[in-house]
Amino acid sequence: MAKQYVFSFGRTKTDGRGDQRALLGGKGANLAEMTRIGLPVPPGFTISTEVCTYFYENGRKYPAELKDQVAKALARVEKEMGKKFGDAKDPLLVSVRSGARDSMPGMMDTILNLGLNEKTTEAVAEKSGNPRFAWDCYRRFVQMYGDVVMGVQRRKDEHHDPFEHAIETIKKENNAETDLDLTVENLQELVRRFKALIRERTGQAFPEDPEKQLWGAIGAVFGSWNNDRAIVYRRKYGIPHDWGTAVNVQTMVYGNMGDTSATGVAFTRDPATGEKVFYGEYLVNAQGEDVVAGVRTPKPIALLKEEMPKAHKELETVRRTLEQHFKDMQDFEFTIEDGTLYMLQTRNGKRTGLAAVRIACEMVKEGLITEEMAVQRIPADSLTQVLAPVFDRAARDKAVKANRLLAKGLPAGPGAATGKVVFNAEEAVAWANRGEKVVLVRIETSPEDLRGMIAAEGILTARGGVSSHAALVARQMGKICVCGCGDLHIDYGRKQMTVAGRTIKEGDWISIDGTLGEVYEGEIDTAPSEIIQVLIDKTLDPKQSQTYQNFDRLMKWADKYRRLDVRTNADQPGQAANAVAFGAVGIGLCRTEHMFFEGDRIYSVRRMIMAENEEHRRAALEDLLPHQREDFAGIFRAMKGLPVTIRTLDPPLHEFLPHEESAINETAAKLKMSPDDVRRRVNALHEANPMLGHRGCRLGNVYPEITEMQVRAIFEAAAEVMAEGIKVKPEIMIPLVGYPKELALQLDVVNRVAEEVRKATGKKINYLVGTMIEIPRAALVADEIAKYAEFFSFGTNDLTQTTLGMSRDDSGNFLPQYQELDIIPSNPFATIDRTGVGRLMKIAIEESRKTRPDIKLGICGEHGGDPQTVMFCHEIGLHYVSCSPFRVPVARLAAAQAALAEAASRKPAKKSAKGAKKAKKAAGKTAKKRK
Amino acid sequence: MAKQYVFSFGRTKTDGRGDQRALLGGKGANLAEMTRIGLPVPPGFTISTEVCTYFYENGRKYPAELKDQVAKALARVEKEMGKKFGDAKDPLLVSVRSGARDSMPGMMDTILNLGLNEKTTEAVAEKSGNPRFAWDCYRRFVQMYGDVVMGVQRRKDEHHDPFEHAIETIKKENNAETDLDLTVENLQELVRRFKALIRERTGQAFPEDPEKQLWGAIGAVFGSWNNDRAIVYRRKYGIPHDWGTAVNVQTMVYGNMGDTSATGVAFTRDPATGEKVFYGEYLVNAQGEDVVAGVRTPKPIALLKEEMPKAHKELETVRRTLEQHFKDMQDFEFTIEDGTLYMLQTRNGKRTGLAAVRIACEMVKEGLITEEMAVQRIPADSLTQVLAPVFDRAARDKAVKANRLLAKGLPAGPGAATGKVVFNAEEAVAWANRGEKVVLVRIETSPEDLRGMIAAEGILTARGGVSSHAALVARQMGKICVCGCGDLHIDYGRKQMTVAGRTIKEGDWISIDGTLGEVYEGEIDTAPSEIIQVLIDKTLDPKQSQTYQNFDRLMKWADKYRRLDVRTNADQPGQAANAVAFGAVGIGLCRTEHMFFEGDRIYSVRRMIMAENEEHRRAALEDLLPHQREDFAGIFRAMKGLPVTIRTLDPPLHEFLPHEESAINETAAKLKMSPDDVRRRVNALHEANPMLGHRGCRLGNVYPEITEMQVRAIFEAAAEVMAEGIKVKPEIMIPLVGYPKELALQLDVVNRVAEEVRKATGKKINYLVGTMIEIPRAALVADEIAKYAEFFSFGTNDLTQTTLGMSRDDSGNFLPQYQELDIIPSNPFATIDRTGVGRLMKIAIEESRKTRPDIKLGICGEHGGDPQTVMFCHEIGLHYVSCSPFRVPVARLAAAQAALAEAASRKPAKKSAKGAKKAKKAAGKTAKKRK
């Protein structure tokens, strides 16, 4: 038997099913499914995606069987409808639409009213008693066909689309205000002019033969799979190019046949809030494109109850049926033709993060879906939206209308912020101290800007990607941030920037949307999310917040299914407490260097760096010790017995030195040195490639007294906090280890100091010592390193930089093009590079277990908060991921999704899962307090 | 039976053999061997290295059997000598010396004259009839024992050694000019004072009991294995700490018993030139330490023929016997006691590279050794000395005496250079153009300095290691270079530097020795090596040069045994021709960027970089095309049909831009731009970590027109040279590939241009396209990359930087300490890191052969000229190594040694060797013209 390429749907025969998205595309599968469950779908058929694949693999030819199968399916539709395609009396008209496996809205082509020609138009005119309707349809069809199938489009030397130009001309000639003022005769003339235009531009006549029209349209739809915008779209959303599209040929129905007709789109629940209300809009006497085009303002669906009560009632039934059947919120299109309801499409509705959580929770309560389904359904990333403060919607709309949208950058820290512009950290602090809300605008940020970033409502940078310093710090602090906004021209000297032809000076208001990457001129009101109000600000009673309760319920379900623990990257007690509120069960990365910038201690740090010998260095370190001890004590208290992984000093020393003239002079004065000496030292510490320079444990090994001070601060703080009756679990992490002995020597320092502190305080502290795996060599010799390491934490930021030989800070010059060119599937600094970096991680795990089977494994790079990476971490058997506090809920959810996906795959990666479980049990360190 | 720890040597019994170096140490094994072959060795015994190991593993205790075995061995010596240890009439005296597997001269302790005490000294006085001799021996013994065994040494608060101080005091008290003026009574008083000193400092009496003395000395020698200088020495020379030392106890003989006694050291051939002459020196009436101490000037060995004809004749026989037996040039110590010759030590003599080659060649001619042995015996690295110009020996000695040695840096380009100091490249060119010899002194060098480096005789830098830009370029060009000379304080502004308290201004003469890393004030005459005169300068008839002929013979033997091909890294026709003269069979790395700095073309390069769009960029590239074509044509001509691997543009673009104010202004004028615009562009291209930035194929993919121009230049040059009847084999190498598609896209460009050139010229060029494997990801996905690559060349410079996360340019701040701390075994930028980088190389090879079993494999990092790395490359089955022209002979020799070592190991790494052979056969591209 010949292969089936064409799948009918209709009253008498429906071949397809809803689960055949891969074969029939989303639209085709759901048209079939709706037909199956008795919803009123105009009959038609779907040409499968396999034809598309065949089409591209065979020089744009079709399988031999196709023609016949299409003819048969068309005949069945004719029979059901009692109409004939091309019939001079009562012609069947069809639409031809694309429909890929995943929705690609607006990317591919659509042809409506196909089957019309001079003759059939007259027939429709007669049959409908509405010649204007008929000729308007024909006019639209010729225009659409001419554009999409025959390729008549605006040339570079033209200002307008030629068809639209013809319409405008005829309107002027006839003093017509709108399209509706054109008469039948005008429309007939317009069709003639369209046809002439087509002949002139293409040298070919517009095909009057409906058969020809049909195959032309089918070819155009398949062809549109590979148009530029479709390719770009697929690249952006990670849709494989070889999936192909299906083509849906369906009987036309008309919402524009008078006041008993209408067309609309609706959602089974509110996609913005998730509320269980019938949500949508419609237009009487209109076609679908009119709703989208926005020429007329559609009415809310509730009004339909009054205008067409019967249809409204039917729609309510449809709404219930759809949700009952599809078990998800549906976004559907309908048309009412002369009082009769037709369903044209349904699909799972897109929704905000807020709505996703509410819908999932309520559907569980309604018994529609299971907890597992709820957990799996919500895109983990969308939770960031639930947590972020937002612009007041009306205020933003007003700003857009007022043309105040200035530029777009990369969405780096979700949420909305508004404030006065300042161009340096000192001003940010000063302005904030006097009660001003500020947005810190920098070309790029560095650790020196940290205090300014803390003081600011939001951060805006001209350079740097989503993993730049600004973005990293912003996410960790839950700050709103837009980065890499290349349109900004910042002039620090004049304290101003120009963008979109406007000049913004220090003190001017701007507003930024870190969820969308937008920058606005002026002030726009914001509000914190309810979840933040409950968990962090504690200004809202949880019982008062439906949103919080849904969120909390979801998180509890997630915790039930996930195997991975979620820790956080935090280096301040406040951050740590926030993370615990968000469900973190420990700190996976506490950077000690951020603390070096607080208050005046930077001068002690600089004194330490400038020291000419060990003795002077020790004296400066002595100054720092009480500060570090205090920092660590604060964190231990905030974490209340949860494990805290503290990384010893990591960045190259020159990061702590002053670079601008004034800062050099100030430092010289503070340190009683000459500015020349300070400058000399700064220059001497300059590095060609600081990422690969004298940093991490290379500092700790060359200057063991630095490690000694830090470790002493940790242990003394631990003893102090233990004396208060609080448990403490420090895990000391040595960064940038590549050679086993680098760790062994640092381990000696740690153990020696631990013993000294034990003797001095009488407190025996339980601690672990481990290392980051962040350079390839460490992964390759992990068996040797594991001899000295009780845990490994994958430092995937640096591991990605070194494995890919790609500087995060400099990759902005080529990564975007690399995504365009399809060289890389996604930003490797956001989502782990499974093939390269991932393989090294697997090697490291395998090697480490040779010498230490129960080694504890985690990840603390920025990737730890990325859902796809969390999935990978689950697969390779890590014990925990660590991410910034505001991404903890995302990671919890993603971890649960990973576990559920594994269970669903029925071929669980048994070995690694088992290994991890065993190892987890053996490590047995992580407190779990889940119900 | 008890384990044997003590091995006797003597007339009546000799347990050990010469091949037991591991067990008996070098000295012990050779004492045994000399005894076996009948040479006059004073009898004694060796305590094996196993005792040393036991000693350290068991808290400095000895095996239970030892005491008894020592006693028995001592008894045998007493019997042979007819003397008793501690005897009051005719006491046996012994020396106790260390002796490790590899010689560690002067690092460990030695005790002489052991067995003397108040009583035995009197006995010796009587027996010898020379009381002064006896008491002088005792004085020396007490001093040595007090120092070495009892630890009486200079305290921090003392200016002199306390024993020496006592000698000086007694000399003053007795108005004695020299030690020889001290009377027997003076010496007796001195011994008393020494003993008092020992008691005062240690609280213990000097042991009079010879038995106690012996065990004290044995313990001290074992203990000295782990003294600081021995540890440092082993670290430096890569001697494992767990080898341990043996202890040799041997009958004392005396060269200081009057004018019929003497002592000396001799070589069986001249260690400096290799000439087959008896070479050495002696002192009449002296002990061994006197020869070394240099208080008296020893006489050349030839004079002994007149002074002691019998002993000299015996020594001549010994010399012949030693070489016949040990099959190598020997360095031996002897003593003539009252006319009787005794042999105290022999070992393979250290020699210069020149001598090594000559001796090996002549020994083959003499039938003493085989060709294989000759090849294996010469340290491959020492060949660089044979090629390097040298300081005139007398001139240098004069400079040292005149205190003109200023500083020491890293020996980065072997040889000697002298010239006037200049501090920038422009001056270097200008001065050289007017006929001055200059040494270019820079803090560090960059590609902008290239022309200056070419113009200079030698290069001296204050910063940067042996793989810094300066060192790399110097080695490639065979330039003399000393780098990383931290004592230099260079002031560009004042055009001067200060070093060792002296100020050297522009135009002052300095001289540098790149073999030793030394910097001298003033001019020192130099001469080119004979091999250079024959092969490169062609100023010397090969028949006239014994040195050249030996070198040539050695190279031919090496070629007979090696499997690896040796190519060269060269980017100028002259360099290429030199490399061919040195035996290179192709170019493994032709960098195209060096060419960008020649003449005025840098402005075209800058115009290309500054271009605002593709069109402008193409126009600038059009300017560069003819220059590049000419460059490549020159290289193809020089290589006469040998394969030439050309790497497309690699460094980040900002390396080509001006950075200093004047250069910016000049560029702006040339490019008709404003200096501000130039500065802006320079700043925009600044990168945080240029090593990991926008470079390599990332440039070629974002700006494919650059690759297009370069490839066009290659193919057009190839067509041009082919038209002259010369064969051309271009191999196009795409740098910095990490993702397979990066290579695939560049491959498309190459193939397209090749086809265009073929059509335009009618010449079909055989070319290969491959990639460098220089970032870890490339190694990890080598199977995918190999789909597009006909060859891989391991770019181990960058692969080391990325795998180790270590910037070559910045590693100077910690690598030296890392070697001190034993974290790394050797500089990973000089010798391949087998464990880390090497593992990635193996992964890459394994993966690549999955998709392309016959892939051609080479290495083109600086490591390619390092003998240990060549060994590794042989082991893992590469087809060739590529190195700088002047290291080609080193690599040829090392490759032969690798092959011979493999054959000798009898467990050849069959699989990889076979794989390589097979692959080599399949690739079958490399012309071999060996006899």
Side-chain angles (χ1 to χ4, degrees), chain A residues 835, chain B residues 737 739-745 747-748 751 769-771 773 778 781-792 844-856:
Chain A
T835 327
Chain B
V737 165
Y739 290 86
K741 194 160 181 190
E742 287 180 300
L743 179 58
L745 291 174
L747 182 61
D748 288 346
N751 288 340
V769 183
T771 185
I773 300 294
V781 302
D783 54 340
E784 287 295 318
I785 291 177
K787 287 182 184 163
Y788 308 104
E790 290 169 291
F791 64 88
F792 279 177
I845 293 171
E846 197 181 308
E847 291 291 332
S848 69
R849 288 188 174 145
K850 284 183 191 164
T851 45
R852 193 183 291 261
D854 63 347
I855 191 162
K856 192 167 170 179

Side-chain angles (χ1 to χ4, degrees), chain B residues 369-522:
Chain B
I369 61 173
T370 62
E371 287 171 17
E372 289 96 318
M373 286 165 78
V375 165
Q376 283 178 281
R377 178 167 292 174
I378 297 164
D381 248 338
S382 70
L383 288 187
T384 54
Q385 296 170 30
V386 183
L387 301 179
V390 287
F391 279 136
D392 179 81
R393 190 182 283 207
R396 189 222 299 262
D397 289 350
K398 212 172 114 194
V400 173
K401 280 193 186 133
N403 199 19
R404 280 161 50 199
L405 176 56
L406 293 175
K408 282 206 164 203
L410 298 169
T418 191
K420 293 180 179 175
V421 170
V422 291
F423 293 100
N424 68 60
E426 291 71 41
E427 296 289 349
V429 173
W431 289 50
N433 282 347
R434 59 177 195 253
E436 305 263 20
K437 285 162 73 175
V438 297
V439 172
L440 177 62
V441 180
R442 298 286 294 167
I443 295 172
E444 57 196 341
T445 65
S446 75
E448 290 188 60
D449 297 323
L450 199 73
R451 282 190 293 167
M453 296 168 82
I454 293 168
E457 301 295 312
I459 300 145
L460 170 63
T461 69
R463 272 218 289 259
V466 293
S467 307
S468 62
H469 177 264
L472 191 152
V473 172
R475 275 199 297 278
Q476 177 157 330
M477 301 194 305
K479 279 277 168 205
I480 285 82
C481 177
V482 173
C483 67
C485 187
D487 290 344
L488 307 184
H489 298 280
I490 299 172
D491 185 336
Y492 286 144
R494 295 187 185 167
K495 295 193 173 181
Q496 65 179 42
M497 62 174 169
T498 55
V499 51
R502 270 166 274 187
T503 301
I504 312 279
K505 292 180 186 304
E506 183 182 74
D508 291 349
W509 282 87
I510 61 167
S511 302
I512 59 174
D513 184 327
T515 310
L516 299 172
E518 292 172 346
V519 182
Y520 293 90
E521 194 175 7

Side-chain angles (χ1 to χ4, degrees), chain A residues 13-34:
Chain A
K13 181 166 185 279
T14 298
D15 299 321
R17 290 187 320 273
D19 60 4
Q20 289 178 309
R21 299 172 62 86
L23 188 65
L24 305 180
K27 185 196 285 272
N30 278 357
L31 285 172
E33 193 67 20
M34 284 197 292

Side-chain angles (χ1 to χ4, degrees), chain A residues 450-494:
Chain A
L450 198 73
R451 282 190 293 166
M453 296 168 82
I454 293 168
E457 301 295 311
I459 299 145
L460 170 62
T461 69
R463 272 216 291 256
V466 293
S467 307
S468 62
H469 176 263
L472 190 152
V473 173
R475 273 199 298 278
Q476 176 157 330
M477 302 195 302
K479 280 276 168 206
I480 286 82
C481 176
V482 173
C483 66
C485 187
D487 290 344
L488 307 183
H489 299 280
I490 299 173
D491 185 336
Y492 286 143
R494 294 188 186 168

